[in-house]
Amino acid sequence: MKAAAGKVAQLLVVMFLVSLGTFSLTSLMPGDPAVAILGDNQSPEAYAELRDKLGLNEPLVERYFTWLGHVFQGDLGTSMVPPNEDVTSLIGSAFAVSIELAVLALVVALVVSIPLAMISARRPDGLLDRAASATTFGIMSVPSFVSGLVLIALLVNQLHLFPRVGWVGVTDGLGQNLYHAALPVITIALLEIPTFTRVLRGDLVRTLQEDFVLSARAKGMPAWRIMIFDAFRPSSYSLITVLGLSLAQLIGSTVIVETLFSLPGMGRLVVSSASQGNITVIQGAVLVIAACYVLINAGVDLMYSVIDPRIRRVGA
Amino acid sequence: MSAPETAALAPTARPGRRRRIDLLLWLCGAWLAVLILAAITAPVLGLQEAQDAAKTLLEPVYQPPSLGSAHPLGTNALGLDMLSRIIYGARVSMAVSISAVLIGTFVGGTLGVVAGYLRGTVDRIIGTLTNTLLAVPALILLIALATVLRPSALNMALALSLVAIPGMIRVTRANTLAFAQREFVTVAQALGAGRARIVFRELMPNVLLSVVPLCLVYVSALIVAEASLSFLGIGLRPPQPTWGNMIGEGLNGKMEDYPHLVYVPAAVLFLTVFSFNLLGERMRKRWDKREVSL
Amino acid sequence: MAGTGKTHLREAGSTLLRVEDLQVEFPAKGGRRVHAVSGVSFDVAPGETVGFVGESGCGKSTVARAVMHLPAPNSGVVNLDDTELGTLSAKRLRETRVAMQLIFQDPMASLNPRRKVKDLVQEGVEIWHRGGDRHALEERTRELLDDVGLDSATVWNRYPHELSGGQCQRVSIARALMMRPSLLICDEILASLDVSVQSQMLNLLKRTRAEHGLAMMFISHDLGVVKNISDRILVMYLGKVAEVLEVDALDRETVHHPYTQLLLASVPRVTGERIKPSVDGAAQDLPSPLNPPSGCRFRTRCPLATDRCAQEEPQLEEKRPGQFIACHHIS
Ligand SMILES: Nc1ncnc2c1ncn2[C@@H]1O[C@H](COP(=O)(O)OP(=O)(O)O)[C@@H](O)[C@H]1O
Ligand code: SF4
Ligand SMILES: [Mg+2]
């Protein structure tokens, strides 16, 4: 209980530091932020107005707390770039797209890596294991914008299986939605498959040498049954750790594919804002993503304390 | 049916297989050596124009690769030579990523060793800092910094080092905990060594050596990160050639007609990243074995 | 409990090191504490060798480290040459404790793997800038290396992993001697060496001790080895002192603490025949220092134990000339 309280306290401190870092992004801007944002051929009034809007005339600490107060009320400010939309709602609609991509990619990655890991672990160092290991190692070295382009060349340009660009929301039909999401999701999943497979394979190999597996084997149970019903669960501990970490990282990974496939998610929002110097959107996005990371981590920790697979392993 | 031989044994090194693996390692090493050498000596290699489109008005544009020609890897939309753009791109990629890893290793390594050696409050503070850096995904962090920083090579190296620092802190801290248990640290104290000496002379050399494999993996990760940023158009800007913005040139429908625009830099990027990863992985395995035998 | 009390301490002025009521605890899981050392007192006269014996886990290494204040004990007084270490500033402590040098059991782990032999041996000098001129320093280093039985020319530029365990241990000794210590603390330094190398090392230690006028704390779980090199012996049991004796007492017909008896029973006699352990407790393990037995800590294994042993802690008393024993039932 005390440990949990410490954890929560640390997460709060982390969020505080992230907000501090995010807020001070503006002070990293070289020269006058107003000039940096508007370009240097505007009227002095325009600069003054923007400076006022950014609160640059107040002392730094005061500005931080004003800003933080607004953030707590769900107000992330307005976009610096016309039509000056509300950042919270900009992020809100983009976030839904990214989350869908991330979750789907996670599912695809698991669906591929779990069987792959089981096949590899069945005969460690056998032909299949080595082939899988070499393949995953190779995939690990392919940046997602490269794999995305290769997939486009093959599946879109050659085979015409998927649309090149564009996004259809779930509300406009699940089929169309998945059809448009498929290629981006596969591209993101490729990033995670190697790690998932390697982590799970390693644990499976270790579990398969344990006594309870050997005795199940001695009883003549089929190998695939042992793998699925006996070995998998006690071997999934590291995988859960990696999963928790990567769900948050995946939101970062969507940046590339959203740009590549022109999808209206967080990634594209962040990239286009970055090239326009649209700092308020960037700040909002960083905060929201960090909050996600912190929450997911808290959730994973909670999951451990509720069902610790290592404790189960003893009884298995 | 499951046979007993399915139980995992220590990897058996079959002679044929060993040789093939070593060959791969040597190929990767050779590739990196050639690339780094070319990058260092680029200005004196007598390469074709890589950057200034005003000088290539008479050159063919979109020339596909053709090994015998003046442009063995082809030219881009402005008639700039792909080979020399690749080599100048390597210069930037390597310089930026390697310096970022060096900065990250030094800063992260020092923080990690200090946290692992002093423990207590210092450890908690450094741990919170690490978690803070980890709370923002690497690419998002880089984009946020790219929004406010001028896109110079130095800024890029500094921003990228922030990506390497938290991982370095974690690993060096863990290694320090292991090394600090060793008697040689206690003996050094008995000889009169103060904290600074213990950290920098006793622990750092051992801990840093043990993170060399991780450094190689980080070099490859940061090469990808740098390329991603230029690909997204928010890293180093054209006309400065980088592998990322070269690949980016192939977007907007040009890839369909001139695939070499994408495939040439993508292949180079893949080979380089793969080589660094493989080197790191092999070194880690060797290292683990040595640790066991000690 | 087996062994508190200070009657065995000699006059304060006559000793080099005087340790009183040393107590060391380590925090353990669930707010519990490991009672590693609970009230150990002893002294070491200049040039004297005191042996520490007891089975693994009884707190010998912890005593050695606590004497060096690495880390400092939870309580207790350590006087070195009439300087109380606990009262010193961190800097003064570092300066003062150089007069004591430690050598550990694991020869490899005691040497920084990234340093060459020459740098290892000169490390302390380098820290204190005591080198004087370079030439003299190198001269002295080579001399010491040769003294401890290494060929200085051969090992000079070697790394620890290029040396054998025995050679590493010799490097450690040379490194310690480099600081011109008055007390050498040897913690199980023979335990990881081959038997043939062990006797060479014992001879080396005896010679070195004579040449440098060293006092020693010699720690070992092996009573035979301790007897070979010590002037006095402290028998430790579960963080306490069971018996303090002059080494001659081992060759006399006399009584001992039941635990000493147990140790003696497991030492092969000169004849080579191994005497069967005469005490029932021999087979049992050391009780947990997390929760040591009340009264006499040895009572769970002691054949003589009575109710009194569970209630009352025995104190060290001089039961025979030159023999201090902490036991209710030895008179
Ligand atoms: N750093 C430590 N943390 C926790 N317990 C320790 C530590 N060092 C020693 N101990 C415990 O203290 C007891 C005495 O250990 P030690 O002094 O190493 O015994 P010896 O050297 O006689 O074998 C043991 O029970 C050991 O587990
Ligand atoms: S007789 Fe009692 S006091 Fe003496 S050693 Fe045995 S248990 Fe301890
Ligand atoms: Mg010990």
Side-chain angles (χ1 to χ4, degrees), chain A:
Chain A
M1 220 46 234
K2 214 177 114 196
K7 263 259 143 54
V8 171
Q10 216 215 17
L11 292 178
L12 288 178
V13 176
V14 165
M15 263 334 279
F16 168 73
L17 289 176
V18 170
S19 74
L20 207 59
T22 312
F23 172 76
S24 34
L25 274 177
T26 36
S27 47
L28 279 178
M29 284 183 136
D32 188 339
V35 179
I37 291 168
L38 294 178
D40 44 22
N41 44 11
Q42 301 286 316
S43 67
E45 292 79 44
Y47 294 133
E49 195 196 341
L50 182 59
R51 246 179 254 131
D52 199 44
K53 213 162 103 192
L54 292 173
L56 292 179
N57 302 323
E58 299 163 43
L60 200 72
V61 180
E62 200 167 309
R63 241 162 66 208
Y64 171 69
F65 282 106
T66 314
W67 177 76
L68 198 63
H70 287 152
V71 168
F72 271 120
Q73 293 160 18
D75 172 13
L76 294 169
T78 54
S79 164
M80 292 284 111
V81 177
N84 304 90
E85 286 158 276
D86 183 34
V87 172
T88 312
S89 63
L90 268 179
I91 289 180
S93 59
F95 201 61
V97 175
S98 295
I99 284 284
E100 184 187 340
L101 288 177
V103 171
L104 285 177
L106 209 61
V107 172
V108 170
L110 285 176
V111 165
V112 176
S113 21
I114 292 176
L116 200 56
M118 288 181 169
I119 292 168
S120 297
R122 177 128 152 66
R123 285 179 208 282
D125 236 29
L127 195 66
L128 289 174
D129 184 31
R130 278 189 280 147
S133 155
T135 313
T136 50
F137 193 83
I139 291 177
M140 237 177 352
S141 308
V142 185
S144 56
F145 55 99
V146 172
S147 56
L149 284 170
V150 172
L151 288 175
I152 289 173
L154 288 177
L155 302 182
V156 180
N157 296 344
Q158 301 290 324
L159 302 175
H160 309 287
L161 285 179
F162 296 103
R164 168 68 183 82
V165 292
W167 179 255
V168 177
V170 197
T171 43
D172 298 327
L174 186 63
Q176 274 298 310
N177 172 260
L178 290 180
Y179 176 60
H180 282 86
L183 210 44
V185 163
I186 294 171
T187 311
I188 303 173
L190 279 178
L191 283 175
E192 304 298 328
I193 288 171
T195 326
F196 290 1
T197 310
R198 290 172 160 242
V199 164
L200 182 58
R201 176 207 171 267
D203 283 1
L204 276 174
V205 167
R206 233 163 293 132
T207 310
L208 286 177
Q209 288 171 293
E210 283 186 19
D211 290 345
F212 73 94
V213 173
L214 296 180
S215 73
R217 200 173 264 175
K219 281 183 219 146
M221 234 188 288
W224 61 268
R225 266 198 72 118
I226 296 175
M227 188 71 88
I228 294 171
F229 294 103
D230 296 318
F232 178 58
R233 204 175 59 183
S235 304
S236 52
Y237 185 77
S238 315
L239 185 65
I240 291 175
T241 312
V242 175
L243 271 177
L245 286 174
S246 61
L247 186 57
Q249 288 290 337
L250 273 175
I251 300 171
S253 317
T254 59
V255 171
I256 301 271
V257 290
E258 284 170 12
T259 307
L260 203 54
F261 294 94
S262 305
L263 308 177
M266 286 291 271
R268 205 161 62 125
L269 180 66
V270 167
V271 171
S272 59
S273 304
S275 45
Q276 295 165 330
N278 197 346
I279 189 73
T280 41
V281 176
I282 297 285
Q283 287 175 321
V286 170
L287 268 188
V288 169
I289 292 173
C292 269
Y293 175 89
V294 165
L295 284 178
I296 290 171
N297 260 316
V300 170
D301 277 340
L302 201 70
M303 227 166 90
Y304 287 153
S305 48
V306 176
I307 37 157
D308 187 342
R310 277 186 302 190
I311 291 169
R312 287 184 172 189
R313 167 177 277 182
V314 178

Side-chain angles (χ1 to χ4, degrees), chain C residues 1-3 242 256-259 294-310 312-315 319 325-330:
Chain C
M1 317 208 238
H256 283 294
H257 188 281
Y259 181 59
S294 65
C296 176
R297 286 191 181 182
F298 187 55
R299 69 179 163 82
T300 53
R301 291 163 73 181
C302 182
L304 309 180
T306 60
D307 280 351
R308 186 178 170 208
C309 304
E312 207 181 308
E313 182 185 351
Q315 301 286 314
K319 304 273 167 129
I325 297 173
C327 174
H328 295 308
H329 300 295
I330 302 252

Side-chain angles (χ1 to χ4, degrees), chain C residues 240-268:
Chain C
K240 296 271 182 186
V241 182
E243 179 171 353
V244 182
L245 65 161
E246 306 284 340
V247 74
D248 313 336
L250 289 175
D251 296 325
R252 285 201 294 268
E253 236 358 90
T254 176
V255 293
H256 283 294
H257 188 281
Y259 181 59
T260 314
Q261 207 70 53
L262 181 72
L263 290 178
L264 281 170
S266 50
V267 176

